[in-house]
Amino acid sequence: MKEYKLQGLSCANCAAEMESEIKKLDHGGDAQLKFNSSKLLVHEKVNLSKVRQILKSDGASLVETNEHGENGHHGHNHSHGSNMKMLVFLSSVIFGLTFLLQNYVSSYVLIVMYVAAMTLSGYQTFIKGAKNLVKLKFNIDTLMTIALIGAVAIGEWREATIVAILFGLNEYLEGLGMEKARNSMEQLLKVAPKQATLLLEDGSERVVPIESLQEKDLVLVKAGEKIPSDGIVMEGSSSVNESAITGESLPVEKTAGEDLYGGSINNEGLLKVKVTRAYEDSSLAKILHLVEEAQEMKTPTELFINRFAKYYTPAIMLISLLVMTVPPVVFSMDWGAALYQGLAVLIVGCPCALILSSPIAIVSGITKNARNGILVKGGVFLEQLGKVESIAFDKTGTLTKGEPTVQTARIYDPERFYSIAGSIEKSSSHPIAKAVMAEVNTKNSELREPSAVEAIPGKGIYAEIDHNPYYIGSEQTISHLNLSKEQQKDIEELKEEGYTLVIVSSSEEILGLFGIADEIREESKSLIKDLHLAGIKHTIMLTGDHDKTARKVAEEIGLTDVYAGLLPEQKVEQVKRLSEGSKLAMVGDGINDAPALATADLGIAMGKGTDSAIETADIVLMQDHLGKLPSSIKIAKQVNRVVKLNISLALGLKLVALLLTIPGWLTLWVAILSDMGATILVTLISLTVLMNKTKKTSFVKEEEKEVQPQS
């Protein structure tokens, strides 16, 4: 399949018809004409001349793009829009002159001027409509052509000219609105770098296209340049702007050994980077692919509108016919007046505003979320996000950091407690041992080398230090000791509070104990509060941890429901049950979350989680936290409100115009104004999704306060 960029594509209905025509060509069966992104995918063997003819019949044309999107991804040809604007302007000038000269020239001269004005702004529509009329294919161009012919036939030259000018203006504004949404999306896609400086084995440098980069290649990234693909810093240090990937505005300091996202910007310094993923497998390439695919996925609302439009246009034609024939036959109305009213009804029936009520808003919502580092994989998922009432979270790595830390300690022998704990655990790579060492390192205790270390399966570790035996581990390591009432009380209290206990003891007494828990993320509490403010009714934790630990976390951050001790398959069953009551989104980051993400109405993964969770999820948060989830929900809800309002306006204005036929007040120019007014309103309201700033979450505000003194 070969990809082409289209220009002059402004009508979704026309795009669907052109796709249908192209599919009838030899090798055209798999053709895809993507209206939202203005692209055409066709087989390489398809007859391009015939494709161009089909496109030309509707005022569109194609421009071949290279693999990286030049002359395609990164720029539109606006000549079609500019031409239409100029033609409408000239038509309006000529029409204005008819008013000034109407008392000074003959009616024949005025008719010539009307025809000139009509031709300039309406000839493309007329030609397309005439061809459709011959084929008995009825769309907006056909309706407008019939209306123009009818108006001229009954001598309404001025009315016919107004219709042509206003329809031309309507087409221009319609295309301009969709182009604005497309351009906003293309600005997002411009983050992709085009070239990279490759370091060769002999130490020389060569500038190469990023598509040629392979895993383990070494590249140089200078200050101000974009990181060409995902990689790891081998030499150098710098601050890196990752906003294009994660949506976070604050730069991140990077030194040797740290990971980099392709598409992020090196702010200062020289970095030597080892590529860890070929460009096509990089985070950036996946983001761009997901965003582009998302534009074309139809929502249930869009699919309904498209089905509705198929029946709507023929119904309008039938109503128009009835308006033309019934009043003269039944009520002895003048045939000319009835014909005039029927033509006005045809114009009112234009479905443009209705068809545009959804795509501009959807593309705008996907774009705005992508700018914030939130990848919505399709309009259907954006619509679903706006309807979600309940959100279920995995605990570890999502609401918590996924790293055990010492939260509290009970110390009975201050001189030996930290020293013995550190001496035993310093060589261990176990996550709990690392948590203990992180706490010990804050105390500057003297560490010694054990003369013997032995693991006790299921219990802990035995060690000899200075010829004395010591133990560190669970309660089972102290089963041989007699505990005081205070020590027993401390152990029970910490267990009741949900902590994992690590007890340090000698052969004779307890030296102290650590209370360890997974550290709660800083933003979790404010996140849950913001989600409730955004309209989420139920915030639920699904975790494999034991009940007391889970409830402690839930109470601290304000969750409404907790389900603990769940295996991965039990999480799936719980998600199924919760989905029965309301729209449920599931948030997770691990491989064990993938089944639950796939089962929920909506799966949301954190971008620094596993590939399986990201692939399975419907929405991906590229940050390593959930701080921007409330804003993405607000954007989705705004898009849903906008689409509903647009549909109401599109149908409401047409209904009002149709009701004007009853007293006979509907004129051609009122009809076209009602249609154009609906289209303009729908377009402008849809673009407010891009313009409006969503309120920042509490976490983001706190971040800004923290960094303010440094700026």
Side-chain angles (χ1 to χ4, degrees):
M1 298 290 280
K2 199 162 187 178
E3 182 180 284
Y4 296 87
K5 194 73 185 175
L6 301 178
Q7 57 190 44
L9 190 66
S10 60
C11 170
N13 199 34
C14 306
E17 290 176 358
M18 286 189 288
E19 182 184 76
S20 178
E21 290 293 320
I22 293 169
K23 283 184 174 181
K24 294 176 185 177
L25 300 176
D26 291 340
H27 307 291
D30 295 328
Q32 295 178 45
L33 201 161
K34 300 181 177 182
F35 172 69
N36 289 351
S37 54
S38 197
K39 286 182 181 175
L40 174 67
L41 286 174
V42 288
H43 195 279
E44 292 181 357
K45 293 182 179 179
V46 78
N47 189 321
L48 278 183
S49 298
K50 291 183 178 179
V51 170
R52 287 192 172 95
Q53 285 176 5
I54 292 170
L55 295 171
K56 188 178 180 182
S57 69
D58 218 272
S61 58
L62 54 82
V63 180
E64 188 171 349
T65 63
N66 62 25
E67 190 178 349
H68 195 66
E70 292 184 21
N71 293 327
H73 260 349
H74 302 310
H76 272 302
N77 186 325
H78 299 278
S79 60
H80 176 77
S82 301
N83 290 342
M84 179 57 74
K85 181 168 66 173
M86 181 57 67
L87 292 173
V88 170
F89 174 73
L90 290 174
S91 295
S92 302
V93 169
I94 294 171
F95 184 71
L97 287 174
T98 62
F99 279 94
L100 296 176
L101 300 174
Q102 60 185 339
N103 296 324
Y104 304 102
V105 298
S106 69
S107 59
Y108 295 107
V109 174
L110 290 176
I111 289 173
V112 170
M113 293 176 72
Y114 285 136
V115 170
M118 204 185 309
T119 303
L120 283 171
S121 57
Y123 77 95
Q124 290 180 337
T125 300
F126 185 85
I127 292 170
K128 288 186 284 186
K131 289 178 179 177
N132 289 339
L133 200 54
V134 171
K135 298 175 185 175
L136 296 179
K137 186 170 74 173
F138 297 100
N139 61 12
I140 177 56
D141 298 314
T142 316
L143 299 184
M144 206 56 58
T145 299
I146 293 172
L148 287 173
I149 293 171
V152 169
I154 59 175
E156 293 287 350
W157 295 98
R158 179 177 294 178
E159 297 272 4
T161 306
I162 291 175
V163 167
I165 291 172
L166 290 179
F167 186 70
L169 180 61
N170 190 46
E171 272 204 321
Y172 168 69
L173 293 172
E174 186 180 312
L176 193 66
M178 197 65 223
E179 198 70 13
K180 174 73 174 174
R182 287 183 190 134
N183 285 345
S184 178
M185 182 65 76
E186 288 191 356
Q187 289 299 317
L188 185 73
L189 301 180
K190 283 185 180 179
V191 299
K194 296 179 182 179
Q195 297 175 322
T197 304
L198 181 67
L199 272 177
L200 303 178
E201 292 182 1
D202 60 5
S204 61
E205 301 173 11
R206 182 195 299 165
V207 176
V208 298
I210 59 166
E211 293 85 2
S212 66
L213 291 180
Q214 298 298 316
E215 193 176 336
K216 297 184 180 178
D217 279 349
L218 281 177
V219 294
L220 276 181
V221 185
K222 300 172 185 175
E225 290 183 346
K226 292 177 181 176
I227 313 297
S229 187
D230 292 355
I232 186 169
V233 179
M234 301 304 291
E235 291 180 20
S237 62
S238 179
S239 66
V240 174
N241 181 350
E242 296 182 341
S243 61
I245 312 299
T246 66
E248 301 286 13
S249 57
L250 298 177
V252 182
E253 295 297 326
K254 298 287 183 179
T255 56
E258 296 195 86
D259 293 327
L260 294 167
Y261 282 124
S264 52
I265 301 171
N266 178 18
N267 287 334
E268 72 268 338
L270 183 68
L271 294 177
K272 184 186 288 186
V273 179
K274 182 170 78 174
V275 174
T276 54
R277 286 181 178 176
Y279 174 72
E280 61 266 21
D281 298 322
S282 68
S283 300
L284 178 62
K286 286 181 180 178
I287 289 170
L288 301 187
H289 175 72
L290 288 174
V291 168
E292 288 197 282
E293 289 296 310
Q295 295 180 74
E296 302 305 327
M297 189 178 289
K298 299 294 183 186
T299 68
T301 302
E302 285 181 290
L303 292 171
F304 169 76
I305 289 171
N306 290 341
R307 287 195 302 269
F308 178 76
K310 287 181 181 179
Y311 301 102
Y312 173 79
T313 302
I316 285 294
M317 294 197 71
L318 180 60
I319 293 171
S320 174
L321 183 62
L322 292 174
V323 169
M324 290 178 186
T325 56
V326 173
V329 173
V330 178
F331 304 108
S332 301
M333 182 180 180
D334 179 68
W335 281 95
L339 180 61
Y340 181 86
Q341 290 281 297
L343 294 174
V345 169
L346 276 183
I347 294 173
V348 170
C350 168
C352 290
L354 186 62
I355 292 170
L356 272 181
S357 59
S358 184
I360 296 177
I362 293 290
V363 172
S364 298
I366 290 172
T367 303
K368 188 167 185 181
N369 271 316
R371 285 177 182 170
N372 288 334
I374 301 157
L375 303 182
V376 183
K377 293 185 180 179
V380 61
F381 305 123
L382 187 69
E383 187 174 297
Q384 289 281 70
L385 182 62
K387 294 178 180 178
V388 163
E389 294 179 339
S390 305
I391 299 183
F393 299 88
D394 172 58
K395 179 179 79 71
T396 306
T398 305
L399 296 171
T400 63
K401 291 184 176 179
E403 300 171 358
T405 57
V406 173
Q407 302 285 316
T408 186
R410 299 289 188 271
I411 304 169
Y412 311 119
D413 187 333
E415 291 184 8
R416 290 188 291 169
F417 176 60
Y418 287 109
S419 174
I420 297 300
S423 298
I424 298 174
E425 297 282 41
K426 65 180 181 179
S427 300
S428 175
S429 59
H430 192 281
I432 289 180
K434 289 181 178 179
V436 169
M437 285 308 301
E439 182 70 13
V440 169
N441 290 336
T442 65
K443 306 301 180 182
N444 297 319
S445 300
E446 182 185 349
L447 304 185
R448 284 160 282 180
E449 198 65 39
S451 56
V453 178
E454 180 185 342
I456 309 171
K459 295 182 180 180
I461 299 174
Y462 164 82
E464 288 185 12
I465 300 174
D466 296 337
H467 307 292
N468 294 314
Y470 291 98
Y471 301 86
I472 187 167
S474 65
E475 282 182 85
Q476 292 174 300
T477 62
I478 57 168
S479 57
H480 61 288
L481 298 178
N482 292 318
L483 306 181
S484 68
K485 287 184 178 180
E486 179 192 357
Q487 291 168 344
Q488 287 178 332
K489 182 183 176 184
D490 286 344
I491 288 172
E492 291 305 315
E493 279 183 359
L494 293 184
K495 285 168 63 179
E496 189 68 29
E497 290 174 14
Y499 290 112
T500 297
L501 299 186
V502 174
I503 302 172
V504 183
S505 65
S506 67
S507 58
E508 300 171 348
E509 61 180 335
I510 294 181
L511 306 183
L513 50 100
F514 294 103
I516 291 181
D518 191 358
E519 188 177 356
I520 294 173
R521 289 175 176 272
E522 294 89 341
E523 79 274 13
S524 289
K525 190 172 182 179
S526 59
L527 163 76
I528 300 303
K529 180 181 176 183
D530 288 335
L531 286 174
H532 289 155
L533 289 173
I536 302 300
K537 296 176 183 176
H538 303 284
T539 47
I540 305 152
M541 182 196 292
L542 305 178
T543 179
D545 277 357
H546 57 77
D547 189 64
K548 288 179 180 177
T549 302
R551 292 197 177 278
K552 179 179 182 296
V553 173
E555 287 172 12
E556 189 168 338
I557 64 180
L559 294 169
T560 59
D561 302 278
V562 182
Y563 299 93
L566 300 176
L567 297 171
E569 58 269 23
Q570 291 174 316
K571 280 187 184 180
V572 172
E573 289 303 315
Q574 194 64 50
V575 166
K576 284 180 182 176
R577 192 183 68 79
L578 291 168
S579 297
E580 292 172 2
S582 62
K583 287 285 182 186
L584 176 79
M586 173 72 194
V587 182
D589 77 328
I591 192 165
N592 63 320
D593 298 323
L597 291 175
T599 305
D601 295 311
L602 200 65
I604 302 174
M606 294 170 66
K608 293 188 180 178
T610 63
D611 284 344
S612 60
I614 293 170
E615 290 296 325
T616 307
D618 307 311
I619 295 173
V620 181
L621 308 175
M622 293 307 296
Q623 308 88 13
D624 193 28
H625 61 77
L626 300 173
K628 293 194 176 182
L629 181 57
S631 69
S632 69
I633 291 172
K634 289 175 184 176
I635 291 169
K637 285 181 179 291
Q638 183 188 5
V639 169
N640 286 354
R641 286 195 304 269
V642 163
V643 170
K644 288 177 183 175
L645 177 60
N646 285 347
I647 292 171
S648 301
L649 283 171
L651 293 177
L653 285 174
K654 291 180 185 305
L655 181 60
V656 169
L658 287 174
L659 290 174
L660 291 177
T661 59
I662 297 172
W665 294 345
L666 183 63
T667 62
L668 289 176
W669 66 269
V670 168
I672 194 70
L673 273 177
S674 72
D675 177 66
M676 185 175 75
T679 302
I680 293 171
L681 281 173
V682 161
T683 301
L684 292 178
I685 292 169
S686 294
L687 290 174
T688 60
V689 175
L690 282 174
M691 293 186 288
N692 287 352
K693 291 185 178 180
T694 52
K695 184 182 175 184
K696 292 180 181 177
T697 62
S698 305
F699 174 61
V700 174
K701 287 178 181 175
E702 288 167 10
E703 274 187 334
E704 288 177 347
K705 285 176 185 175
E706 288 173 9
V707 299
Q708 209 169 12
Q710 299 173 7
S711 56

